[in-house]
Amino acid sequence: MTPDRGTAADRAWLRRAARLALRGHGGAEPNPMVGAVLVRPVGGEDRDGRGAGCVLGEGHHARCGGAHAERVAIADALRRGCDLRGATLYVTLAPCCGTGRTPPCTDAIIEAGVARVVFAREDAHPKGRDARRVLEAAGVRVDLLPEPAALAVGESFAHRVERGLPWVIAKWAQSVDGRIATSSGESRWISGERSRAMVHRERGRVDAILTGIGTVLADDPLLTARGVRRRRVALRVVLDRRLRLPLRSRLVASARDVPLIVFAEADRIGSESAAALRGSGVELRTIDRSPTALATVLRGLAATDGVSTLLVEAGPKLLGALLREGLLCEAWIFTAGRMFGDDLAPGPVGGGSAAPDFAGATGLATAPRFRLVDLRRRGGDAMSLWRRAL
């Protein structure tokens, strides 16, 4: 389908739909986050006292298995007493046209009398691939308009469908000069309370949280969402090839209440420490020594455990491996107003004393590219969100 250039108004409505879509994060997954806005177009017939260019109804996909954004928006418009004949529907993703947990959205759009549908992204799932044909056969005009904000909310879903991998988000706090801890290992707390609260909210929305044994031994983290509303309880995952996880760690102590999976090499799985961990409620799985071991772990989490979004809270070595293997999709970087000025203090991804074996980019041409998606102030910190240019 050839993209349409659209008007400034078209793009503005799609941006509004994108903002609505984000409200579904933590509830919609593994379904896509989708937002929809119904509008009376300029020049359209005013049958209900609402002028051209006004919102007739809007909605988002809030919960996997629940109503899709298009149907929510239509229901919202009908509750307001709006006549949808001749209306335009702006939606971030092509409407579904197959029956799954819910009936096809194309049916609802046609029945409502919507005259035009504008969407930002083709659906990577088979249920959405015939939307254009079905709608146009019913006399509905269909336009593809790849507005960046509306495209962005669908990237994680498209990534999962096309690659079979979770959407991997790394987060870290750093000083102005890019250090995540002092050379002595002190890192609590580089970032401020508002930044940490944002991380806790994300913990309460993702499917899993991944860390490495180095971080566990250094920080004894709990990796749970605290002090915020949780939309789901994240599975906690530790990469621990030699099975060094202490029985007295906070992760193990809470394993019966919050799921914990530890990946270790096969020769460690039958040890006495493995039996003790199992007795504490820890699930053990094997990781091999192949160059694609990390991708295999992530693909298994997606296929076996339904992990669609994964938050990484780890040190330079694991983050470096994710970057090197092309598995890192997004980075949340909290920069605090401190400067360490210490060459021995570790950086966030590879390099430094924490990961001397990391082979990073040898030149600008080989450095993975990320694009800036968001930049905001969080108290005294600056939060930047970067997304891999896939």
Side-chain angles (χ1 to χ4, degrees), residues 114-278:
V114 172
R116 181 185 178 216
V117 174
V118 182
F119 59 84
R121 180 187 288 275
E122 298 273 14
D123 196 342
H125 195 281
K127 287 201 305 178
R129 290 175 186 167
D130 287 334
R132 179 187 179 91
R133 178 185 59 78
V134 171
L135 291 171
E136 289 185 338
V140 180
R141 175 184 167 186
V142 180
D143 293 316
L144 172 64
L145 179 57
E147 165 59 35
L151 282 174
V153 296
E155 281 189 39
S156 58
F157 175 72
H159 174 79
R160 296 193 301 270
V161 172
E162 293 167 1
R163 298 189 61 187
L165 290 164
W167 185 257
V168 178
I169 306 163
K171 76 86 185 171
W172 66 82
Q174 65 179 33
S175 62
V176 173
D177 52 343
R179 306 296 179 172
I180 61 169
T182 65
S183 54
S184 64
E186 184 181 358
S187 62
R188 292 187 177 180
W189 297 103
I190 292 176
S191 60
E193 290 185 7
R194 291 188 60 189
S195 296
R196 298 198 296 275
M198 187 174 180
V199 172
H200 277 281
R201 281 195 295 273
E202 188 65 6
R203 286 180 180 176
R205 292 174 175 174
V206 297
D207 296 310
I209 302 170
L210 173 69
T211 193
I213 187 60
T215 297
V216 174
L217 295 176
D219 298 338
D220 191 21
L222 192 54
L223 301 182
T224 58
R226 301 184 296 279
V228 296
R229 177 191 173 194
R230 290 190 300 183
R231 298 188 178 185
R232 55 184 64 195
V233 176
L235 173 69
R236 300 172 301 172
V237 182
V238 179
L239 298 186
D240 183 12
R241 289 180 175 274
R242 290 183 287 162
L243 207 58
R244 295 182 291 157
L245 181 63
L247 283 171
R248 295 186 178 182
S249 65
R250 295 203 296 168
L251 286 171
V252 175
S254 58
R256 295 194 184 279
D257 299 318
V258 185
L260 175 63
I261 297 176
V262 176
F263 283 85
E265 292 180 355
D267 60 351
R268 303 282 175 162
I269 296 296
S271 64
E272 290 184 8
S273 59
L277 288 170
R278 288 194 186 96

Side-chain angles (χ1 to χ4, degrees), residues 328-345:
L328 184 59
C329 304
E330 191 170 290
W332 293 22
I333 305 173
F334 298 91
T335 303
R338 300 173 184 267
M339 294 189 72
F340 293 170
D342 185 351
D343 288 341
L344 297 180

Side-chain angles (χ1 to χ4, degrees), residues 61-80:
H61 183 44
R63 179 178 57 82
C64 184
H68 289 186
E70 300 93 325
R71 287 184 174 270
V72 174
I74 289 171
D76 181 41
L78 295 178
R79 278 194 300 270
R80 301 186 194 194

